[in-house]
Amino acid sequence: MSEASEATQADRALKAKHRAMWALGDYPLVATDVIPDLGPELVRESGVRPGTRVLDVAAGSGNAAIPAALTGADVVAVDLTPELLEAGRQLAGERDAKLAWQEGDAEQLPFEDAEFDIVLSCVGVMFAPHHQQAADELVRVCRPGGRIALVNWTPEGFVGQMFAAMRPYAPPPPPGAQPPPLWGDESHVRSLLGDRVSGVDARRRSLRVEAFSGPEEFREFFKRCYGPTVAVYAAIADDPGKVAALDTALADLAAGQLADGVMEWEYLLFTADRSSR
């Protein structure tokens, strides 16, 4: 087998693993019950309006795609995981939102060059393992003069810290895979997009989360519903000592953030215009 063929097979295996991970738990419940405000905010900040051709990359169950469609925009939601797309279709039906749902890889988007006016991603593209490939695709499918708009968790914020707490218990990442919270670092995103964008506006904001009354409630919810957390616990299920240690680490992290039932989760809101060149 050639080196190129081996690389292709390895990438397919990695994407299959990612697809399976996001099918674990109940991410749609995370989106609707914990972070419902992120998608609508991204839609507002990106300037979506009726008739705009919009692509939501790594759309999950449509946290941004559905609000975008409700503005009257022409929206396509693309995601690697069919189970999330199906959940999104059901949610869209309940809200009478009309949009298209398509399975696809953020690193190899199944669309033509310059096909969309606005390309969005709400805590989605950050989980594509190869950041430059994903960034190149965001740029490629956005028309010159169009807009790229992203919301991603910062490394220093609560979710970034949660991933850091889980890292010692997770299997080692494959060669070339980069940590998701890097997408919440402005300098990293600027380096990925380079001079292909202009008019960059990058702001750190905090999402107010009031879904959990205590640290143990937070931990148990994420153990049950959030694919990456479910996967880490599955990897250490045969080691009670590691399970107990991770239980403590996540509860301690949440305890340090919770105050009167409120948490503040920091994210980066990044918008930029696709350069004409």
Side-chain angles (χ1 to χ4, degrees), residues 31-263:
T32 58
D33 287 19
V34 183
I35 61 168
D37 295 337
L38 281 185
E41 180 185 10
L42 180 60
V43 170
R44 288 192 301 270
E45 294 287 345
S46 64
V48 173
R49 57 182 58 88
T52 307
R53 177 76 167 153
V54 177
L55 176 66
D56 185 7
V57 178
S61 52
N63 195 23
I66 292 173
L70 290 172
T71 71
D74 178 10
V75 179
V76 179
V78 63
D79 198 273
L80 190 66
T81 304
E83 291 86 348
L84 296 184
L85 295 173
E86 183 54 37
R89 288 188 187 95
Q90 293 180 16
L91 286 169
E94 292 169 7
R95 300 176 189 178
D96 200 26
K98 309 299 183 186
L99 66 156
W101 301 86
Q102 185 164 343
E103 186 175 342
D105 182 352
E107 297 178 4
Q108 292 181 307
L109 291 170
F111 306 106
E112 298 297 323
D113 295 355
E115 190 170 337
F116 297 92
D117 301 309
I118 297 178
V119 179
L120 306 173
S121 187
C122 183
V123 294
V125 74
M126 64 184 293
F127 293 101
H130 307 109
H131 293 189
Q132 191 62 63
Q133 286 178 232
D136 291 347
E137 286 294 271
L138 297 178
V139 173
R140 181 183 66 78
V141 300
C142 186
R143 67 166 176 80
R147 175 159 293 185
I148 296 170
L150 312 170
V151 160
N152 293 305
W153 304 118
T154 66
E156 301 84 3
F158 179 78
V159 178
Q161 292 179 46
M162 182 185 72
F163 276 94
M166 293 192 299
R167 191 174 303 124
Y169 305 94
Q178 295 175 279
L182 278 178
W183 276 91
D185 180 273
E186 177 185 348
S187 62
H188 181 67
V189 183
R190 282 180 177 270
S191 71
L192 292 173
L193 300 176
D195 63 1
R196 298 174 297 177
V197 299
S198 61
V200 170
D201 184 6
R203 285 168 279 169
R204 289 189 177 220
R205 293 183 173 179
S206 291
L207 176 70
R208 184 181 176 93
V209 175
E210 300 178 272
F212 309 109
S213 60
E216 289 78 16
E217 184 181 357
F218 158 79
R219 181 193 64 210
E220 294 307 310
F221 180 89
F222 268 65
K223 284 178 69 172
R224 184 176 70 253
C225 296
Y226 192 59
T229 308
V230 177
V232 170
Y233 272 99
I236 60 173
D238 294 334
D239 190 329
K242 287 185 177 180
V243 171
L246 181 54
D247 276 349
T248 299
L250 292 180
D252 286 350
L253 179 64
Q257 173 68 238
L258 265 167
D260 298 324
V262 176
M263 307 173 84

